[in-house]
Amino acid sequence: MKLSRASRPPTAQELEIMKILWERERATVRDVYETLRKRRRIAYTTVMTLMKILHEKGHVKRRLADRAYVYEPAKPRKTVVGGMVREFLDRVFNGSAEPLLVHLVEDERLTAADLEDLARTMRKKDL
């Protein structure tokens, strides 16, 4: 099943931009470009194109202010990340979270503190 552009989760580069927008709450293309340039080489036009795609996908809203668009997240981080996790679980683990958790525990990605937090969360949810 092919997803329409509007329902696709952000790509890795788009997610990098979303993280900046979630942190700043709103920013212009120039603001995002300058932030990304501190981390790596990237073209201004690439940032502009990625932000346009994020707008088309519905991940960001924009408004014109002083001849430049100001972008802000259309959805909270938790909503977007949750959708990405569900899509990943569906695609890789046929919708089941258990194999992912087992993999993380066996791969030693979860610390004892992580496991305690997870158990506490599960108890709150009555799982």
Side-chain angles (χ1 to χ4, degrees):
M1 170 177 88
K2 189 165 177 146
L3 297 173
S4 71
R5 178 175 246 186
S7 61
R8 289 187 196 149
T11 64
Q13 282 191 310
E14 293 166 358
L15 186 58
E16 189 176 16
I17 290 171
M18 290 301 302
K19 288 176 182 178
I20 293 167
L21 290 173
W22 283 318
E23 183 179 300
R24 295 180 65 131
E25 296 183 8
R26 63 188 55 80
T28 64
V29 172
R30 171 77 48 202
D31 296 332
V32 172
Y33 168 71
E34 293 297 336
T35 301
L36 287 173
R37 258 188 41 160
K38 292 175 188 170
R39 301 177 194 167
R40 63 183 174 90
R41 290 181 54 135
I42 190 166
Y44 179 87
T45 53
T46 300
V47 176
M48 186 170 54
T49 300
L50 289 168
M51 292 179 77
K52 179 179 180 248
I53 290 168
L54 283 166
H55 180 256
E56 291 170 358
K57 287 182 172 182
H59 294 298
V60 299
K61 300 182 281 189
R62 68 182 186 192
R63 63 179 166 73
L64 198 54
D66 298 327
R67 297 185 340 210
Y69 283 115
V70 176
Y71 292 82
E72 60 186 77
K75 302 170 188 167
R77 178 189 299 249
K78 186 175 182 175
T79 301
V80 174
V81 171
M84 292 176 74
V85 169
R86 280 187 298 282
E87 188 268 336
F88 177 78
L89 287 174
D90 289 345
R91 188 168 38 88
V92 178
F93 297 107
N94 295 326
S96 175
E98 183 183 357
L100 173 61
L101 291 172
V102 169
H103 176 78
L104 290 171
V105 169
E106 288 176 350
D107 197 31
E108 299 176 359
R109 299 281 173 131
L110 296 176
T111 65
D114 293 335
L115 291 170
E116 287 173 23
D117 289 343
L118 182 59
R120 192 176 311 107
T121 301
M122 291 171 62
R123 281 191 300 275
K124 282 182 189 174
K125 297 274 187 186
D126 270 341
L127 296 177

